[in-house]
Amino acid sequence: MLQIDFHAHILPGADHGSDGLATSLRQVALAREAGIDLLIATPHFYPHLESPWAFLERRAETWACLREALPADAPQLRIGAEVQLCRGLDRMTDLEQLCVEGTRVLLLELPRDFSVRAYEQTLDALLYERKLTVVLAHVDRYAPGTVDFLLELGFLAQVNAAPFCRLRSRKAALHRAESVQTVALGSDIHGVSTGYTEFLQMKRRLGPTYDAVMARTAAMLGL
Ligand SMILES: [Fe+2]
């Protein structure tokens, strides 16, 4: 079974997840020590702050910087992005380049002001016109009423490790992970202070469900 961290901020200087190459290499080393086979690098992309072209150029530079420095025993890395939803996102010409490398899988973050009514057309077009597989980032952060509605429509879910480590959120996170619509787990690693401690705790708490979600991630990515 491949162990995949689907959500990681590990590109040097690409966002606030890593302040430079030394931090990124430490993050990658921590992932390896935790048994991760494949890391999806998902720097934040905020379409209201930056053009996709500028983001893609910046991401390519930081990825090249990290790739050249990776040790031989590093987990595999694939490039993606954590894309914040905005109205009209479905019309962005370079949207496929924001998907996980080699796939049509997009990691989508909902904005603070999210309401289904305000984003309905964009969401509909992402699925049915652009025909993307849209994975909602860290669904554990959103109100169940909102997320459940989207999952019924065909969106998929990624769950973060952190809620498994807190008493108040553990039960809901376990319930989420058991759902077949949950296709990915993520460290959402920023910096190195927490490292993979929470990810490993999540793995222990999930037991066989962890393996089941990893199998779904691998299938979604065509691995
Ligand atoms: Fe994130």
Side-chain angles (χ1 to χ4, degrees):
M1 175 201 61
L2 276 178
Q3 298 194 67
I4 302 165
D5 180 359
F6 195 77
H7 186 158
H9 297 271
I10 52 165
L11 293 187
D15 59 18
H16 56 287
S18 166
D19 57 7
L21 185 58
T23 297
S24 296
L25 289 172
R26 183 71 192 128
Q27 290 172 314
V28 170
L30 288 168
R32 179 181 52 74
E33 287 164 22
I36 300 296
D37 301 297
L38 173 61
L39 272 166
I40 311 295
T42 54
H44 287 285
F45 172 55
Y46 298 113
H48 59 292
L49 296 178
E50 188 177 22
S51 74
W53 311 282
F55 172 78
L56 290 169
E57 193 175 310
R58 205 162 55 75
R59 187 183 65 171
E61 283 170 14
T62 60
W63 168 222
C65 169
L66 178 58
R67 191 174 46 205
E68 284 168 19
L70 282 175
D73 63 352
Q76 288 179 57
L77 257 90
R78 282 215 212 177
I79 299 303
E82 181 177 7
V83 178
Q84 191 170 88
L85 176 65
C86 67
R87 277 181 284 276
L89 183 68
D90 55 294
R91 296 194 297 274
M92 191 177 285
T93 50
D94 290 312
L95 199 50
E96 281 75 9
Q97 292 189 59
L98 298 172
C99 293
V100 176
E101 199 179 347
T103 74
R104 294 183 65 76
V105 176
L106 185 75
L107 183 64
L108 188 74
E109 180 181 41
L110 302 181
R112 284 183 201 279
D113 70 344
F114 179 78
S115 72
V116 173
R117 180 179 290 186
Y119 293 92
E120 192 169 19
Q121 289 187 343
T122 301
L123 289 168
D124 186 65
L126 287 172
L127 285 190
Y128 298 106
E129 290 176 32
R130 296 299 289 258
K131 301 191 186 305
L132 296 175
T133 298
V134 180
V135 179
L136 301 174
H138 41 60
V139 288
D140 41 281
R141 287 195 196 164
Y142 308 127
T146 304
V147 174
D148 290 342
F149 176 79
L150 295 173
L151 297 178
E152 282 169 21
L153 289 175
F155 291 86
L156 299 170
Q158 175 260 312
V159 177
N160 268 5
F164 292 92
C165 306
R166 298 188 183 113
L167 276 177
R168 68 177 184 280
S169 53
R170 184 177 302 155
K171 194 172 173 186
L174 288 166
H175 181 69
R176 268 290 165 228
E178 284 165 2
S179 160
V180 292
Q181 287 139 329
T182 294
V183 292
L185 300 168
S187 66
D188 203 357
I189 189 169
H190 289 72
V192 293
S193 58
T194 310
Y196 276 81
T197 311
E198 292 178 336
F199 199 92
L200 289 171
Q201 196 168 337
M202 169 179 71
K203 180 180 177 180
R204 284 194 297 275
R205 295 202 183 280
L206 279 176
T209 302
Y210 178 88
D211 297 1
V213 180
M214 289 298 163
R216 292 199 283 272
T217 314
M220 177 176 68
L221 298 176
L223 301 173

